[in-house]
Amino acid sequence: MKLRVHRNPFLTSTLHSPTILYNTLRFFWVVLVIWYELGEFYWSLSSCRWPAINASSESPTHVLVLSDTQIIHTAYTKNVPYTQAWRRFLTDLNIRKNWHVTSRLRPHDVIFLGDMLAAGRFIKNSAEYEQAVQYFKSVFSLPGARMHYLAGNTDISLGTVAKHSKDVKGFYQDTFGPLNQEFAIRKHTFVGLDAPGLVDEDYQRAAQGVDYTHWTPLPDGPVSFVNSITIDDDPLILLSHIPLSRPITASCGPLREKDTLRRNVGHGYQSMLGKQTTAFLLETLRPSLIFSGDNRDYCEYKHSFPDPHNNANTAKSTKEVTVKSFSMSKHIHRPGFQLLSLVDPFSLGESTDKSFADILCLLPDQDRIYSTIYPTFTVITLLVLFVINKTKMGHIRVRQLTALSVSSQTSLSLTSGRSTPVQHLDADIWIPRTPNILLSPRSPTQSLRRIPSCNLGPKLRTPSRPVTPNGSPPRHYVAYQEDGDEEEAMYPMYSTHHSDLRSSDHWSSGHDDLTEDELSTQHERCSAPGWRPVETQNTLWSWSFVFRGRRRRLTLSIPSWEDLTSLFSECQDHSTHLRRRGVLIATLFDTLSVLWPAVLVGMFIAWCMF
């Protein structure tokens, strides 16, 4: 027993409809853009929670720690190549989306560990620097949260990188605040260092060949500020833009993406503080926790230093966390930030647990989205549309060949012993019965069916002879001059109208007022086989040139509304769409038609971020 599967013709035609297929692709791309432009950012923070301190029953204070925001201000984007401008736009957009989802964590305090501006050290006047700072603060706006800023080597100069390097520090102090600062959050003392200034002072000390014990600190310098800090029982958290020194073989832990933190020195840049400077900070401040930045990648390292309050002279261990960059960078795949929870140390009682806890949170890999995800799905979309159009074109050709074969066999069987009119090459497929419709010469329809007003000259006809038993077509053709009686015999429908064409109301409009010369000219145009009515358009540019011995003219005209909408909508007759443009060009147009809704959605999301 054979099982027969009955297909629903309506369902089959619906599934194979170009409109259904293209709308499905459009919907897929819209969902894809919404997910990767916004949804993945929310999803990346779905598992990011403020760290809990179980030893205390109090509600903790939440501190958000950011590093290397690298905001690109307007003055720095002038007169740059389009590729760099596009890259900077994506970086700025990524920072805004990162902050959009991060700010929903509602921190009580936000600490920026330096490099807030991408090129603040190159700004030459205070007005421009203030404009850049205002733009930065407009991006990182969070009502109700206290903001704390730390200077980085891109905010102020490290060393003398320009003639106005000293002025930049003044610009920074006028907008962000003091270079060295001390503040308290929930009975925890935070010490923010001017790390670039500390490196400059360290070079001056080393040039004199003295250690920090015999060094006379610079007035209002970082060393003088460190010596002025009063150490008490409150936990001290050290903030430095530049990481502290450590062995070159030290590991940064499993959360780091690349290698380890190494010592590098460049023009206006230094990857780590000096060994003596690190020892001076640890022994003087005895911090309980250290946060640093500048390296772009995450690094966790424990420093050991002697504790003078311990009689056993055992070393004290302090963890340093180098916070990940908050902005896109070629050095990392996924940006990130640090969450810090604080409780009152006295609320712990006799517990040995710490009064603070921190955790790393990661953001999406934006480079992967633009360099891998979107290009991959674009290629897949092109291949799918190419296969669809290629298959459709094959079906069109099969139907054309079938129609021509059936028409040829039908015409031969019906015209046995009679002459057979030959169809013009540009005309539609000839059928034995000509429709009884009279078309005006001014009608926009471009059909080339026989009309009484157009004498197309001699016709190719087969001589009247019986066909072969196999129904084979005639093997030769003879040209006959048009004859009125024979025409009426072949096309009796014209015999009743031929004499009344000039008097017909349908034909009188636009013809009765013509002179004989105009009618003769019109008759000659109609008789020309290659003549087609041409609609004039307003041209934009026109060039005339000689190519291969013949004069050519190239004209560019203003596209019509139909030409523009064809980029974004599928033609009702997909077969005509393919025949007119070809498979490759039609595939490109179809790809644009599929992608434009997703592009609009992406533009709307970007507009909302700004």
Side-chain angles (χ1 to χ4, degrees):
M1 179 178 180
K2 295 183 179 180
L3 180 62
R4 295 183 178 180
V5 179
H6 298 279
R7 296 182 178 180
N8 189 339
F10 174 78
L11 181 61
T12 303
S13 61
T14 301
L15 293 177
H16 288 80
S17 171
T19 303
I20 299 297
L21 294 174
Y22 291 177
N23 286 338
T24 302
L25 289 175
R26 291 188 184 106
F27 177 76
F28 168 78
W29 267 99
V30 168
V31 173
L32 187 74
V33 168
I34 292 176
W35 172 254
Y36 281 108
E37 293 297 323
L38 205 58
E40 191 176 15
F41 288 83
Y42 285 97
W43 178 258
S44 64
L45 297 185
S46 60
S47 59
C48 184
R49 296 289 184 269
W50 291 100
I53 303 176
N54 299 324
S56 176
S57 59
E58 295 183 355
S59 177
T61 299
H62 297 151
V63 181
L64 174 64
V65 184
L66 305 179
S67 178
D68 299 275
T69 55
Q70 297 280 350
I71 284 291
I72 303 173
H73 51 90
T74 308
Y76 192 62
T77 58
K78 294 180 180 179
N79 301 323
V80 296
Y82 291 108
T83 54
Q84 294 185 16
W86 172 248
R87 175 72 180 181
R88 291 170 183 175
F89 169 77
L90 292 181
T91 302
D92 196 8
L93 178 62
N94 175 256
I95 292 175
R96 290 176 177 272
K97 288 188 288 188
N98 289 345
W99 179 249
H100 176 74
V101 296
T102 304
S103 61
R104 298 175 67 87
L105 296 173
R106 298 300 177 187
H108 301 103
D109 291 79
V110 181
I111 298 176
F112 294 90
L113 294 176
D115 280 1
M116 295 165 287
L117 304 179
R121 59 185 176 181
F122 297 111
I123 299 179
K124 299 181 180 180
N125 57 76
S126 59
E128 187 176 327
Y129 199 96
E130 183 178 0
Q131 180 184 2
V133 173
Q134 292 301 324
Y135 180 71
F136 167 84
K137 292 183 178 181
S138 67
V139 174
F140 293 95
S141 175
L142 186 60
R146 296 178 294 270
M147 301 290 183
H148 310 276
Y149 307 105
L150 206 64
N153 57 292
T154 63
D155 304 315
I156 60 176
S157 60
L158 191 155
T160 304
V161 297
K163 296 181 180 180
H164 59 279
S165 298
K166 296 182 180 180
D167 299 333
V168 174
K169 291 186 178 181
F171 301 158
Y172 178 91
Q173 293 176 355
D174 294 338
T175 52
F176 283 114
L179 295 173
N180 299 286
Q181 54 185 310
E182 178 185 4
F183 55 91
I185 302 177
R186 198 67 177 271
K187 297 293 182 68
H188 290 73
T189 302
F190 286 80
V191 176
L193 289 179
D194 173 17
L198 183 59
V199 171
D200 291 338
E201 188 170 355
D202 185 31
Y203 277 111
Q204 298 180 33
R205 178 200 59 80
Q208 297 184 13
V210 297
D211 55 17
Y212 278 96
T213 305
H214 301 87
W215 168 250
T216 302
L218 298 177
D220 299 328
V223 177
S224 176
F225 170 74
V226 171
N227 291 330
S228 65
I229 299 297
T230 302
I231 307 300
D232 52 20
D233 294 334
D234 293 341
L236 187 145
I237 298 178
L238 177 62
L239 306 175
S240 172
H241 174 69
I242 302 176
L244 275 63
S245 178
R246 78 268 327 262
I248 59 175
T249 58
S251 174
C252 284
L255 299 179
R256 185 176 177 86
E257 293 186 15
K258 299 179 180 179
D259 300 331
T260 186
L261 202 157
R262 302 186 183 278
R263 177 178 295 275
N264 292 312
V265 178
H267 185 63
Y269 169 78
Q270 183 168 313
S271 62
M272 289 188 293
L273 297 176
K275 293 182 179 180
Q276 295 187 23
T277 303
T278 299
F280 165 72
L281 293 175
L282 294 176
E283 295 175 4
T284 303
L285 299 176
R286 301 193 298 274
S288 301
L289 180 64
I290 304 172
F291 285 113
S292 60
D294 191 51
N295 187 253
R296 294 299 188 103
D297 203 352
Y298 181 85
C299 185
E300 183 175 328
Y301 177 76
K302 287 189 176 182
H303 296 275
S304 298
F305 57 93
D307 187 1
H309 298 285
N310 195 328
N311 296 328
N313 292 327
T314 58
K316 180 180 179 181
S317 177
T318 297
K319 182 179 73 171
E320 178 185 354
V321 174
T322 302
V323 181
K324 257 199 166 186
S325 172
F326 191 73
S327 62
M328 295 171 56
S329 173
K330 62 181 180 180
H331 304 287
I332 59 174
H333 294 292
R334 301 186 64 179
F337 55 89
Q338 209 75 10
L339 296 181
L340 175 65
S341 296
L342 303 173
V343 295
D344 190 341
F346 298 99
S347 65
L348 299 177
E350 297 180 356
S351 175
T352 58
D353 293 342
K354 296 180 179 180
S355 59
F356 53 85
D358 66 287
I359 189 174
L360 169 66
C361 292
L362 297 176
L363 293 163
D365 183 1
Q366 192 80 351
D367 274 333
R368 180 181 64 91
I369 295 175
Y370 289 112
S371 63
T372 303
I373 300 297
Y374 288 157
T376 300
F377 281 103
T378 301
V379 172
I380 293 175
T381 302
L382 280 169
L383 292 177
V384 170
L385 293 176
F386 178 79
V387 171
I388 293 175
N389 289 336
K390 189 70 174 178
T391 305
K392 187 69 175 180
M393 180 61 78
H395 293 166
I396 293 173
R397 291 176 178 174
V398 170
R399 288 199 300 268
Q400 287 178 340
L401 293 176
T402 303
L404 289 174
S405 177
V406 172
S407 175
S408 176
Q409 294 178 5
T410 304
S411 61
L412 288 175
S413 62
L414 294 178
T415 59
S416 177
R418 295 184 298 172
S419 60
T420 303
V422 178
Q423 182 70 9
H424 194 275
L425 292 177
D426 292 336
D428 298 334
I429 298 176
W430 184 83
I431 57 176
R433 181 177 180 181
T434 305
N436 189 13
I437 300 176
L438 292 179
L439 300 177
S440 169
R442 292 182 178 269
S443 173
T445 306
Q446 299 300 320
S447 175
L448 290 180
R449 296 186 179 92
R450 290 177 55 87
I451 57 176
S453 62
C454 292
N455 183 12
L456 297 179
K459 303 293 187 297
L460 293 177
R461 298 179 181 173
T462 58
S464 299
R465 64 181 180 85
V467 297
T468 62
N470 294 329
S472 60
R475 297 183 180 273
H476 62 278
Y477 298 89
V478 180
Y480 289 91
Q481 185 67 28
E482 192 68 39
D483 183 73
D485 297 335
E486 185 177 0
E487 179 179 348
E488 292 184 2
M490 292 182 62
Y491 304 99
M493 66 187 68
Y494 291 135
S495 61
T496 59
H497 301 281
H498 186 71
S499 60
D500 298 329
L501 286 176
R502 293 297 305 272
S503 61
S504 174
D505 294 337
H506 180 72
W507 287 69
S508 60
S509 176
H511 288 76
D512 292 341
D513 298 333
L514 298 177
T515 62
E516 293 183 359
D517 294 337
E518 292 174 342
L519 289 173
S520 176
T521 303
Q522 185 180 20
H523 177 74
E524 292 176 359
R525 289 181 178 177
C526 190
S527 300
W531 179 82
R532 293 290 185 276
V534 178
E535 297 181 0
T536 59
Q537 296 182 352
N538 296 327
T539 59
L540 291 178
W541 301 279
S542 180
W543 296 274
S544 179
F545 57 93
V546 177
F547 178 70
R548 300 184 65 177
R550 299 185 62 182
R551 180 170 294 278
R552 316 281 182 172
R553 179 174 293 276
L554 179 63
T555 303
L556 298 180
S557 60
I558 300 176
S560 63
W561 176 252
E562 289 76 9
D563 296 333
L564 296 177
T565 55
S566 65
L567 293 174
F568 311 117
S569 61
E570 177 59 27
C571 299
Q572 294 181 355
D573 188 358
H574 192 248
S575 302
T576 305
H577 175 65
L578 281 175
R579 287 198 301 266
R580 185 174 69 250
R581 293 195 172 109
V583 176
L584 293 178
I585 301 300
T587 300
L588 294 178
F589 274 79
D590 293 342
T591 303
L592 294 177
S593 175
V594 167
L595 295 181
W596 75 265
V599 173
L600 291 181
V601 171
M603 293 174 61
F604 177 75
I605 293 176
W607 177 78
C608 292
M609 293 297 105
F610 284 88

